[in-house]
Amino acid sequence: MDCIFCKIVSGEVPSRKVYETAHTLVFMDVAGDVDGHLLAVPKKHCKNILDCDETSLRDLMLAVKEVSNHLVGHCGYDGVNLLNASGESAGQSVPHFHIHIIPRKTGDGVNAWPNFAGAKLPIDEVWKKIRI
Ligand code: DGP
């Protein structure tokens, strides 16, 4: 499969690795948009959270926590934003599951939270539709 993140996991394409476990790789995002922008990916290919197997997902989330604690505990950051797009409709551009880790400092001016336009439907109408 011609997947850029699979190639990064296999080492075919170089990356700046930050943390690695048996099932997860965390490396620098090359977007150049925010200092310290990281991507955490499962080593086993899946497209996004909708088809990710349980072992990969558990390990991925534990790795995200490990790296987040490292950033805040040892690297001078105060918090993190965790971002994920699952599906093209959500803005996913690389079809290999990834969680963006954005390290944050108080007053850094980074705008990592969407400015939503406002809900269009009554909250109870949506609640009835989506509750499990
Ligand atoms: P998304 O839009 O959520 O699917 O984010 C995809 C991210 O992947 C984007 O921030 C840029 C990053 N990216 C794309 N190609 C490469 C690459 O070859 N290497 C690295 N390190 N990051 C990449």
Side-chain angles (χ1 to χ4, degrees):
M1 185 191 302
D2 191 30
C3 169
I4 182 64
F5 289 173
C6 283
K7 288 179 179 170
I8 286 175
V9 167
S10 72
E12 186 182 340
V13 169
S15 69
R16 295 172 178 84
K17 294 182 187 179
V18 169
Y19 182 68
E20 185 171 13
T21 71
H23 300 287
T24 302
L25 182 65
V26 182
F27 56 95
M28 302 291 295
D29 188 304
V30 294
D33 48 5
V34 187
D35 291 337
H37 187 166
L38 301 173
L39 296 171
V41 307
K43 290 184 174 180
K44 184 176 171 188
H45 183 89
C46 59
K47 182 176 176 185
N48 55 45
I49 195 159
L50 300 173
D51 66 341
C52 187
D53 68 273
E54 199 171 317
T55 299
S56 295
L57 184 61
R58 286 182 192 280
D59 196 78
L60 180 71
M61 291 312 297
L62 289 172
V64 166
K65 176 173 170 52
E66 187 73 22
V67 171
S68 299
N69 280 127
H70 172 68
L71 292 168
V72 172
H74 303 286
C75 305
Y77 292 102
D78 303 313
V80 294
N81 285 109
L82 306 177
L83 306 173
N84 165 258
S86 283
E88 290 81 5
S89 64
Q92 182 175 8
S93 62
V94 176
H96 181 129
F97 188 22
H98 52 282
I99 296 179
H100 299 257
I101 305 173
I102 312 291
R104 300 299 305 275
K105 284 183 185 172
T106 304
D108 63 13
V110 171
N111 180 13
W113 201 255
N115 293 313
F116 293 116
K120 298 189 181 75
L121 299 170
I123 187 169
D124 282 337
E125 185 180 327
V126 181
W127 176 49
K128 281 175 190 151
K129 187 170 87 170
I130 68 174
R131 66 187 173 187
I132 299 171

